[in-house]
Amino acid sequence: MDITRLIDDLSQDLSRAAEVGGEEVRAAAERLLLALDPALRLTLMDALSQAAGEIREALPGTSIDVRLIGREPVFVVEGPRTAPTTDDHFEPDDGEPAARITLRLPEALKARAESQAARRGQSLNTWLVAAARAAAASADGPQSSGHPHPSGPGRRVQGWAR
């Protein structure tokens, strides 16, 4: 990441502002900018490190660091990288062929599902298949207790509610 350009832009902005005060103020601003360059670089590095920390928290299992190469910060990302594909791998039931469907989700639900999938190191497709299997398995559970709903005595209910 080229922070030198950012510091140069800030220096030009300060120089233009100092011109209003005349030659003496402009000269003082130039001296001040020379002294502030290291502090500006350190402050920008700190901001980038904080941003990397927040991204790291949002992507469990991923390491994100900011390192200096010369005078410029560089992001180093290490960890699981799963690129979603159109034919994600999952275990079909009893060797049954996979079927394709179109599923429309509200954006907020899709974002939450993607987050859950990422936490488990899965693609969204694989996570959705597992969620559908779990929902289907709980729906197929025995209901021989005489209760119309599987939440009878001693039963545990899992699923999603709105």
Side-chain angles (χ1 to χ4, degrees):
M1 170 174 268
D2 182 13
I3 64 171
T4 299
R5 184 186 56 80
L6 298 171
I7 292 172
D8 288 345
D9 290 348
L10 181 63
S11 296
Q12 289 173 2
D13 290 344
L14 184 57
S15 293
R16 276 190 230 103
E19 287 175 2
V20 174
E23 184 60 33
E24 200 172 292
V25 173
R26 189 192 58 74
E30 284 180 16
R31 288 191 303 275
L32 184 60
L33 284 169
L34 287 173
L36 284 177
D37 184 83
L40 288 171
R41 287 180 182 281
L42 186 59
T43 300
L44 287 172
M45 273 294 291
D46 187 40
L48 292 173
S49 294
Q50 287 179 26
E54 288 182 24
I55 295 168
R56 185 182 317 114
E57 287 178 19
L59 299 173
T62 302
S63 169
I64 302 172
D65 294 308
V66 182
R67 299 181 186 161
L68 276 178
I69 298 196
R71 297 183 75 187
E72 301 299 330
V74 175
F75 286 100
V76 177
V77 180
E78 297 172 349
R81 292 185 185 136
T82 56
T85 64
T86 57
D87 192 22
D88 287 317
H89 298 289
F90 59 91
E91 297 173 19
D93 292 335
D94 302 322
E96 193 175 330
R100 291 183 178 266
I101 65 167
T102 299
L103 176 65
R104 298 185 199 296
L105 298 173
E107 284 291 329
L109 177 59
K110 179 179 179 273
R112 288 182 11 224
E114 287 172 332
S115 176
Q116 289 291 322
R119 282 191 198 120
R120 293 185 176 150
Q122 297 175 324
S123 69
L124 179 59
N125 186 72
T126 300
W127 187 87
L128 286 170
V129 168
R133 271 198 190 119
S138 70
D140 291 341
Q143 296 185 9
S144 59
S145 66
H147 294 279
H149 193 272
S151 62
R155 304 229 180 187
R156 193 173 94 174
V157 175
Q158 290 182 316
W160 295 268
R162 185 170 167 99

Short mmCIF file of all heavy atoms in Angstrom, two decimals, residues 101-115 117 124-125 127-129 131 160 162:
data_model
loop_
_atom_site.label_atom_id
_atom_site.label_comp_id
_atom_site.label_asym_id
_atom_site.label_seq_id
_atom_site.Cartn_x
_atom_site.Cartn_y
_atom_site.Cartn_z
N ILE A 101 -31.03 -25.97 -7.60
CA ILE A 101 -32.22 -25.16 -7.37
C ILE A 101 -31.80 -23.70 -7.30
O ILE A 101 -30.62 -23.39 -7.11
CB ILE A 101 -32.97 -25.53 -6.07
CG1 ILE A 101 -32.08 -25.23 -4.85
CG2 ILE A 101 -33.43 -26.96 -6.08
CD1 ILE A 101 -32.84 -25.28 -3.54
N THR A 102 -32.75 -22.81 -7.46
CA THR A 102 -32.50 -21.39 -7.25
C THR A 102 -33.16 -21.03 -5.93
O THR A 102 -34.34 -21.33 -5.72
CB THR A 102 -33.11 -20.55 -8.39
OG1 THR A 102 -32.49 -20.95 -9.61
CG2 THR A 102 -32.88 -19.07 -8.15
N LEU A 103 -32.41 -20.43 -5.06
CA LEU A 103 -32.91 -20.07 -3.74
C LEU A 103 -32.77 -18.57 -3.56
O LEU A 103 -31.68 -18.03 -3.70
CB LEU A 103 -32.11 -20.80 -2.66
CG LEU A 103 -32.43 -20.48 -1.21
CD1 LEU A 103 -33.85 -20.93 -0.88
CD2 LEU A 103 -31.43 -21.18 -0.29
N ARG A 104 -33.85 -17.91 -3.28
CA ARG A 104 -33.82 -16.47 -3.06
C ARG A 104 -33.90 -16.23 -1.56
O ARG A 104 -34.84 -16.66 -0.91
CB ARG A 104 -34.97 -15.79 -3.77
CG ARG A 104 -34.92 -15.95 -5.26
CD ARG A 104 -36.02 -15.16 -5.95
NE ARG A 104 -36.33 -15.56 -7.29
CZ ARG A 104 -35.51 -15.49 -8.33
NH1 ARG A 104 -34.30 -15.05 -8.17
NH2 ARG A 104 -35.89 -15.85 -9.52
N LEU A 105 -32.89 -15.53 -1.02
CA LEU A 105 -32.82 -15.23 0.40
C LEU A 105 -32.81 -13.72 0.62
O LEU A 105 -32.23 -12.99 -0.18
CB LEU A 105 -31.53 -15.80 1.01
CG LEU A 105 -31.33 -17.30 0.97
CD1 LEU A 105 -29.92 -17.64 1.46
CD2 LEU A 105 -32.36 -17.98 1.84
N PRO A 106 -33.37 -13.25 1.72
CA PRO A 106 -33.18 -11.84 2.06
C PRO A 106 -31.69 -11.58 2.26
O PRO A 106 -30.95 -12.45 2.75
CB PRO A 106 -33.94 -11.68 3.38
CG PRO A 106 -34.90 -12.83 3.42
CD PRO A 106 -34.25 -13.95 2.66
N GLU A 107 -31.22 -10.39 1.88
CA GLU A 107 -29.79 -10.07 1.96
C GLU A 107 -29.22 -10.31 3.36
O GLU A 107 -28.13 -10.84 3.51
CB GLU A 107 -29.55 -8.61 1.55
CG GLU A 107 -29.63 -8.38 0.06
CD GLU A 107 -28.49 -9.01 -0.72
OE1 GLU A 107 -27.37 -9.13 -0.18
OE2 GLU A 107 -28.73 -9.40 -1.87
N ALA A 108 -29.95 -9.89 4.39
CA ALA A 108 -29.45 -10.04 5.77
C ALA A 108 -29.27 -11.52 6.13
O ALA A 108 -28.28 -11.89 6.76
CB ALA A 108 -30.39 -9.35 6.75
N LEU A 109 -30.21 -12.36 5.73
CA LEU A 109 -30.11 -13.79 6.01
C LEU A 109 -28.94 -14.40 5.25
O LEU A 109 -28.19 -15.21 5.79
CB LEU A 109 -31.42 -14.50 5.65
CG LEU A 109 -31.42 -16.02 5.83
CD1 LEU A 109 -31.11 -16.40 7.28
CD2 LEU A 109 -32.77 -16.58 5.39
N LYS A 110 -28.77 -14.01 4.00
CA LYS A 110 -27.66 -14.51 3.20
C LYS A 110 -26.33 -14.13 3.85
O LYS A 110 -25.42 -14.96 3.96
CB LYS A 110 -27.72 -13.95 1.79
CG LYS A 110 -26.56 -14.44 0.91
CD LYS A 110 -26.68 -13.87 -0.50
CE LYS A 110 -25.53 -14.31 -1.37
NZ LYS A 110 -24.38 -13.46 -1.27
N ALA A 111 -26.22 -12.90 4.34
CA ALA A 111 -24.98 -12.46 4.98
C ALA A 111 -24.71 -13.28 6.24
O ALA A 111 -23.56 -13.69 6.50
CB ALA A 111 -25.06 -10.97 5.32
N ARG A 112 -25.75 -13.55 7.03
CA ARG A 112 -25.57 -14.36 8.24
C ARG A 112 -25.17 -15.78 7.89
O ARG A 112 -24.31 -16.39 8.54
CB ARG A 112 -26.83 -14.34 9.09
CG ARG A 112 -27.04 -13.00 9.76
CD ARG A 112 -28.24 -12.87 10.67
NE ARG A 112 -28.95 -14.05 11.04
CZ ARG A 112 -30.28 -14.15 11.05
NH1 ARG A 112 -31.02 -13.13 10.71
NH2 ARG A 112 -30.86 -15.27 11.43
N ALA A 113 -25.78 -16.35 6.85
CA ALA A 113 -25.44 -17.71 6.42
C ALA A 113 -24.00 -17.77 5.92
O ALA A 113 -23.27 -18.72 6.23
CB ALA A 113 -26.41 -18.19 5.34
N GLU A 114 -23.58 -16.77 5.15
CA GLU A 114 -22.20 -16.73 4.67
C GLU A 114 -21.22 -16.64 5.83
O GLU A 114 -20.17 -17.27 5.82
CB GLU A 114 -22.00 -15.54 3.72
CG GLU A 114 -22.64 -15.73 2.38
CD GLU A 114 -22.60 -14.48 1.51
OE1 GLU A 114 -22.60 -13.35 2.06
OE2 GLU A 114 -22.60 -14.64 0.28
N SER A 115 -21.58 -15.86 6.84
CA SER A 115 -20.72 -15.72 8.02
C SER A 115 -20.59 -17.06 8.75
O SER A 115 -19.49 -17.46 9.14
CB SER A 115 -21.30 -14.66 8.95
OG SER A 115 -20.57 -14.56 10.13
N ALA A 117 -21.01 -20.05 7.46
CA ALA A 117 -20.25 -20.95 6.60
C ALA A 117 -18.75 -20.65 6.70
O ALA A 117 -17.94 -21.57 6.82
CB ALA A 117 -20.72 -20.83 5.15
N LEU A 124 -20.79 -21.48 1.06
CA LEU A 124 -22.20 -21.24 1.39
C LEU A 124 -23.05 -22.42 0.93
O LEU A 124 -23.95 -22.86 1.65
CB LEU A 124 -22.69 -19.93 0.74
CG LEU A 124 -24.16 -19.58 0.98
CD1 LEU A 124 -24.46 -19.46 2.48
CD2 LEU A 124 -24.52 -18.30 0.25
N ASN A 125 -22.77 -22.97 -0.25
CA ASN A 125 -23.53 -24.11 -0.75
C ASN A 125 -23.44 -25.30 0.20
O ASN A 125 -24.46 -25.90 0.56
CB ASN A 125 -23.03 -24.50 -2.14
CG ASN A 125 -23.89 -25.59 -2.76
OD1 ASN A 125 -25.01 -25.34 -3.14
ND2 ASN A 125 -23.35 -26.80 -2.80
N TRP A 127 -22.70 -25.32 3.37
CA TRP A 127 -23.38 -25.00 4.62
C TRP A 127 -24.90 -25.12 4.46
O TRP A 127 -25.58 -25.65 5.32
CB TRP A 127 -22.99 -23.59 5.09
CG TRP A 127 -23.52 -23.26 6.45
CD1 TRP A 127 -22.93 -23.54 7.64
CD2 TRP A 127 -24.76 -22.61 6.75
NE1 TRP A 127 -23.72 -23.08 8.67
CE2 TRP A 127 -24.85 -22.51 8.15
CE3 TRP A 127 -25.78 -22.10 5.97
CZ2 TRP A 127 -25.93 -21.92 8.79
CZ3 TRP A 127 -26.86 -21.51 6.61
CH2 TRP A 127 -26.93 -21.43 8.00
N LEU A 128 -25.43 -24.63 3.34
CA LEU A 128 -26.88 -24.71 3.10
C LEU A 128 -27.34 -26.16 2.96
O LEU A 128 -28.41 -26.53 3.45
CB LEU A 128 -27.26 -23.91 1.86
CG LEU A 128 -27.25 -22.39 2.02
CD1 LEU A 128 -27.40 -21.71 0.66
CD2 LEU A 128 -28.32 -21.93 2.98
N VAL A 129 -26.54 -27.00 2.30
CA VAL A 129 -26.89 -28.41 2.18
C VAL A 129 -26.95 -29.05 3.56
O VAL A 129 -27.89 -29.78 3.89
CB VAL A 129 -25.89 -29.16 1.26
CG1 VAL A 129 -26.07 -30.67 1.35
CG2 VAL A 129 -26.04 -28.70 -0.18
N ALA A 131 -27.50 -27.53 6.42
CA ALA A 131 -28.66 -26.97 7.14
C ALA A 131 -29.95 -27.63 6.66
O ALA A 131 -30.83 -27.96 7.47
CB ALA A 131 -28.71 -25.46 6.94
N TRP A 160 -35.07 -23.16 12.97
CA TRP A 160 -35.04 -21.71 12.81
C TRP A 160 -36.43 -21.18 13.04
O TRP A 160 -37.42 -21.81 12.66
CB TRP A 160 -34.57 -21.35 11.41
CG TRP A 160 -33.18 -21.76 11.16
CD1 TRP A 160 -32.06 -21.01 11.36
CD2 TRP A 160 -32.72 -23.03 10.69
NE1 TRP A 160 -30.95 -21.73 11.04
CE2 TRP A 160 -31.31 -22.97 10.62
CE3 TRP A 160 -33.34 -24.19 10.34
CZ2 TRP A 160 -30.53 -24.03 10.22
CZ3 TRP A 160 -32.56 -25.27 9.93
CH2 TRP A 160 -31.19 -25.17 9.86
N ARG A 162 -38.77 -17.38 13.01
CA ARG A 162 -38.78 -15.97 12.59
C ARG A 162 -39.66 -15.20 13.53
O ARG A 162 -40.68 -15.59 13.96
CB ARG A 162 -39.30 -15.87 11.17
CG ARG A 162 -39.23 -14.50 10.62
CD ARG A 162 -39.53 -14.57 9.14
NE ARG A 162 -39.77 -13.29 8.58
CZ ARG A 162 -38.86 -12.58 7.92
NH1 ARG A 162 -37.68 -13.07 7.73
NH2 ARG A 162 -39.16 -11.44 7.41
#
